[in-house]
């Protein structure tokens, strides 16, 4: 069974969720509200953990995997402020893919020893090649993946209001 844990914060995470579901993965997602949790479940997440109610979500995510062995693949968008929980959730020989650092920075960040103890791969991902982009587009078409966008639309003239709206969402899902 393929299990992915996704730290759901925004568009990149939603896209990762859609790809994981299309690949047949069991998705464990994290978010900050019940409304966002409902949206994630409607998009195919099997489990959703509220990280504001459960700051030790990594242990909870691990417990939701078969035999409590841990998560195979983690899409890490929070960065230094959430990597410790991702390391708590990861399975031995699992892969943590760092996509961003939306959660900011913390004074106490995990050390290299934490990755050694977990015996996992931690890698960064940036924009891929043209070939990878074309493969992604084929996967989107084959799986009929549709982008998730907010219902609210802004014009260029209201860009300031758009930014204020985004800030007000507090790590919005959509």
């Amino acid at each position: 069974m393929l299990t992915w844990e996704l730290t759901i914060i925004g568009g990149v995470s939603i896209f990762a969720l859609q790809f994981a579901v299309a690949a047949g993965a069991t998705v464990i997602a994290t978010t900050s509200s019940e409304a966002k949790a409902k949206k994630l479940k409607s998009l195919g997440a099997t489990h959703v953990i509220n990280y504001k109610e459960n700051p030790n979500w990594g242990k909870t995510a691990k417990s939701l995997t078969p035999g409590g062995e841990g998560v195979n693949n983690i899409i890490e968008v929070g960065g230094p402020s959430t990597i410790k929980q991702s390391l708590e959730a990861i399975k031995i020989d699992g892969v943590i893919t760092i996509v961003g650092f939306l959660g900011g920075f913390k004074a106490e960040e995990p050390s290299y020893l934490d990755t050694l103890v977990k015996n996992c791969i931690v890698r960064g991902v940036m924009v891929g090649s043209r070939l990878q982009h074309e493969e992604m587009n084929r996967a989107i078409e084959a799986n009929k993946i549709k982008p998730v966008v907010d219902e609210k639309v802004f014009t260029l003239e209201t860009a300031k209001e758009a930014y204020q709206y985004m800030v007000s969402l507090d790590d919005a899902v959509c």
Side-chain angles (χ1 to χ4, degrees), residues 16-144:
L17 166 74
Q18 291 175 301
F19 276 118
V21 169
T26 297
V27 178
I28 304 169
T30 60
T31 194
S32 63
S33 75
E34 187 57 36
K36 294 172 189 177
K38 286 180 184 176
K39 181 66 174 176
L40 295 169
K41 287 183 180 178
S42 77
L43 291 170
T46 308
H47 306 284
V48 181
I49 303 166
N50 185 318
Y51 61 79
K52 287 190 175 182
E53 293 174 0
N54 183 354
N56 295 317
W57 54 263
K59 189 174 278 189
T60 302
K62 185 174 184 171
S63 74
L64 294 170
T65 63
E69 290 183 9
V71 178
N72 292 317
N73 293 281
I74 296 178
I75 306 301
E76 172 60 67
V77 298
S81 68
T82 57
I83 190 72
K84 186 169 179 74
Q85 290 305 309
S86 290
L87 285 164
E88 185 66 39
I90 197 71
K91 179 180 188 173
I92 298 284
D93 291 330
V95 177
I96 299 173
T97 303
I98 299 173
V99 178
F101 55 94
L102 294 174
F105 297 93
K106 284 181 148 182
E108 290 184 32
E109 296 178 11
S111 70
Y112 288 109
L113 181 59
D114 292 309
T115 58
L116 181 63
V117 169
K118 291 298 180 174
N119 193 27
C120 65
I121 297 167
V122 179
R123 65 174 172 213
V125 172
M126 300 297 271
V127 176
S129 68
R130 177 181 169 189
L131 178 62
Q132 290 170 319
H133 185 78
E134 290 169 354
E135 289 173 350
M136 177 190 72
N137 288 338
R138 283 192 291 279
I140 290 169
E141 284 183 24
N143 292 286
K144 297 178 176 60

